Amino acid sequence: MYIKKRVLIVCSVLLIVVTAVLTVGLVNPFGFTNYLDFIKFSTVTNTIKNMYYEDVPMSDYVNSSIEGFAQGTEDAYTNYIYGEEADEYMEDVSGSFDGIGVYIENNIEDNTITVVSAISDTPAEKVGLVSGDKILKVAGVSYTGEQINEAVRNMKGQTGTTVDIEVLKAESGETVSLTVERQHINVKTVKSKIIDGTNIGYISISQFVESTGDDFNKALSKLTSDGAKSLVLDLRNNPGGYIEAAVDVASNFVKSGEDVVYTLDKKGNREDYKSNGKQYYIPVTVLINQGSASASEIVTGALKDYGLAHVIGEKSYGKGIVQSVFGLGDGIVSVTIARYYTPNGTCIHKLGIEPDETVPMELNKYANLDNLTLEEDEQLSAAVNYLNSVSK
């Protein structure tokens, strides 16, 4: 009788333990194998919730917790935003918003807000913001890289209003104060022309959005029908964008079925992005600089690896990682999911792509590319000279 009772008690205890473990597994944000972390998380959150002197909406606790979890990766590109920030993000990716027109990032090496590039023909370009500049203050308030979303919100505003920013210039090392007038920005990502006095086509891409591939295809088709025998592809100050748009652009030159780029995640799973379009057999030069990043480097890397283009300019930015973006209620999660590799197996993250022909240029010229003459733009001049030499 005693033995049976003991067995019953042991079984009851085991049932309680198993139930507790399974319950923890269902609700533990760290995974039930990290039981002590769950206890710590639960204790701290309940202490704050029960003892904080004011009532806080549960949604604020949840959103802040998720935001902190993303920051735990210490990756500048993995984050969670919600509310107004999420709405502003959707405006940005749509290519239509009110602001100053600059792409920036949280530079985790020195915790600063660093300029990747200014958008062509925007207030940011007109006041001379270039890759490597650091935005220290917005409207008199200092911001660190971790506060980038708040800084972005304060740089945006109604068209016609102004905002004061303090910038540490990359070229001179001086701190300057700038007053920038906001405007409504509709980003036209593809511009094309035939360079005066030549049969050389010119296409610049300011960023890679959903429509960029189709717009590029139309521009290239028109240039060739108008008599262009070679092409300058200008990716300077292009911070990147959708990987699919980069593949669409590169597919105009890379043989159908060949890799344009491939990615590897942390488990070693490989995903190939292959050329799917018409191949143009014309001489191509690609212009890059410090502001050429991400999708720009995908296109440049593919064309360089296959020997399909002569790359001119300065070393690119070096962003060789891929993000996936997910909607989650009123929030948006951006997660770095993989590194990308050029067809030859090179990951350029934090390294950049070296040009075939290095042609340095003053940083202040990068803020005024659209207004430079051919003679003033040393890199474009070098591209024209190269194409003239190989077309003879």
Side-chain angles (χ1 to χ4, degrees):
M1 199 61 189
Y2 173 76
I3 295 176
K4 289 183 179 180
K5 186 175 181 180
R6 182 181 179 188
V7 170
L8 181 60
I9 292 172
V10 171
C11 289
S12 298
V13 170
L14 285 174
L15 180 61
I16 292 170
V17 171
V18 170
T19 302
V21 170
L22 291 175
T23 301
V24 169
L26 289 172
V27 300
N28 181 1
F30 300 101
F32 64 80
T33 56
N34 296 312
Y35 183 75
L36 293 179
D37 285 339
F38 170 71
I39 294 297
K40 181 195 293 185
F41 180 86
S42 180
T43 300
V44 172
T45 54
N46 278 293
T47 299
I48 293 172
K49 186 170 65 173
N50 294 326
M51 299 185 66
Y52 184 63
Y53 78 106
E54 289 184 346
D55 289 330
V56 176
M58 193 61 191
S59 60
D60 288 352
Y61 281 130
V62 172
N63 282 325
S64 297
S65 297
I66 299 171
E67 185 178 25
F69 197 86
Q71 291 174 356
T73 65
E74 297 185 351
D75 172 40
Y77 307 101
T78 295
N79 54 67
Y80 173 73
I81 56 176
Y82 54 94
E84 289 183 2
E85 291 183 25
D87 294 338
E88 290 164 359
Y89 173 85
M90 294 308 298
E91 285 183 358
D92 289 348
V93 297
S94 72
S96 180
F97 56 91
D98 290 352
I100 69 172
V102 63
Y103 295 110
I104 55 180
E105 73 162 2
N106 171 10
N107 187 332
I108 59 176
E109 292 183 358
D110 58 7
N111 195 25
T112 60
I113 299 172
T114 302
V115 174
V116 176
S117 67
I119 300 173
S120 175
D121 195 29
T122 63
E125 184 185 64
K126 291 172 184 175
V127 298
L129 290 180
V130 297
S131 177
D133 287 350
K134 298 180 183 297
I135 297 176
L136 306 178
K137 292 183 179 181
V138 179
V141 179
S142 297
Y143 291 100
T144 65
E146 294 173 346
Q147 298 169 307
I148 188 170
N149 292 326
E150 186 177 348
V152 167
R153 190 180 306 114
N154 287 328
M155 281 189 281
K156 289 184 174 181
Q158 187 175 353
T159 294
T161 61
T162 61
V163 60
D164 295 325
I165 60 175
E166 187 174 289
V167 180
L168 177 64
K169 297 296 294 179
E171 186 171 38
S172 65
E174 297 179 354
T175 299
V176 299
S177 296
L178 303 171
T179 298
V180 193
E181 182 175 338
R182 302 177 178 102
Q183 72 178 43
H184 184 70
I185 298 169
N186 286 310
V187 181
K188 182 181 179 182
T189 65
V190 177
K191 296 180 181 179
S192 63
K193 64 181 180 181
I194 289 184
I195 297 174
D196 290 342
T198 73
N199 59 1
I200 299 172
Y202 171 90
I203 300 179
S204 68
I205 304 177
S206 61
Q207 67 178 114
F208 290 87
V209 300
E210 288 183 359
S211 63
T212 299
D214 287 339
D215 291 343
F216 181 85
N217 296 344
K218 292 174 184 176
L220 183 55
S221 178
K222 186 176 187 307
L223 286 175
T224 55
S225 66
D226 288 345
K229 302 299 182 185
S230 56
L231 177 70
V232 176
L233 175 55
D234 193 345
L235 298 179
R236 293 175 294 181
N237 295 345
N238 184 321
Y242 290 116
I243 190 171
E244 293 83 4
V247 173
D248 287 343
V249 170
S251 291
N252 285 279
F253 310 102
V254 176
K255 184 178 178 181
S256 182
E258 296 286 349
D259 278 339
V260 172
V261 64
Y262 67 90
T263 64
L264 291 176
D265 66 15
K266 67 180 180 181
K267 295 181 179 179
N269 297 318
R270 173 169 170 159
E271 184 172 2
D272 296 282
Y273 293 82
K274 297 184 179 295
S275 174
N276 53 29
K278 176 181 178 182
Q279 187 177 14
Y280 285 83
Y281 295 95
I282 59 174
V284 178
T285 58
V286 177
L287 300 182
I288 59 172
N289 68 353
Q290 304 93 322
S292 306
S294 188
S296 298
E297 294 169 302
I298 287 175
V299 174
T300 304
L303 270 56
K304 184 178 182 183
D305 279 6
Y306 288 119
L308 298 172
H310 184 69
V311 181
I312 295 175
E314 300 185 77
K315 186 171 72 171
S316 64
Y317 188 82
K319 181 177 181 288
I321 50 180
V322 182
Q323 285 75 45
S324 280
V325 179
F326 309 90
L328 187 65
D330 67 340
I332 295 172
V333 182
S334 174
V335 184
T336 298
I337 59 170
R339 294 178 182 269
Y340 77 73
Y341 295 78
T342 68
N344 283 352
T346 301
C347 181
I348 54 82
H349 191 55
K350 296 186 178 180
L351 298 175
I353 296 175
E354 293 284 355
D356 298 308
E357 182 180 344
T358 299
V359 180
M361 201 159 77
E362 296 175 6
L363 284 178
N364 63 338
K365 286 189 174 183
Y366 288 133
N368 197 34
L369 287 174
D370 287 343
N371 298 317
L372 297 179
T373 66
L374 182 60
E375 291 73 23
E376 292 170 334
D377 189 336
E378 296 97 327
Q379 294 168 346
L380 181 56
S381 294
V384 170
N385 291 337
Y386 172 82
L387 292 172
N388 282 332
S389 70
V390 298
S391 298
K392 290 180 180 179

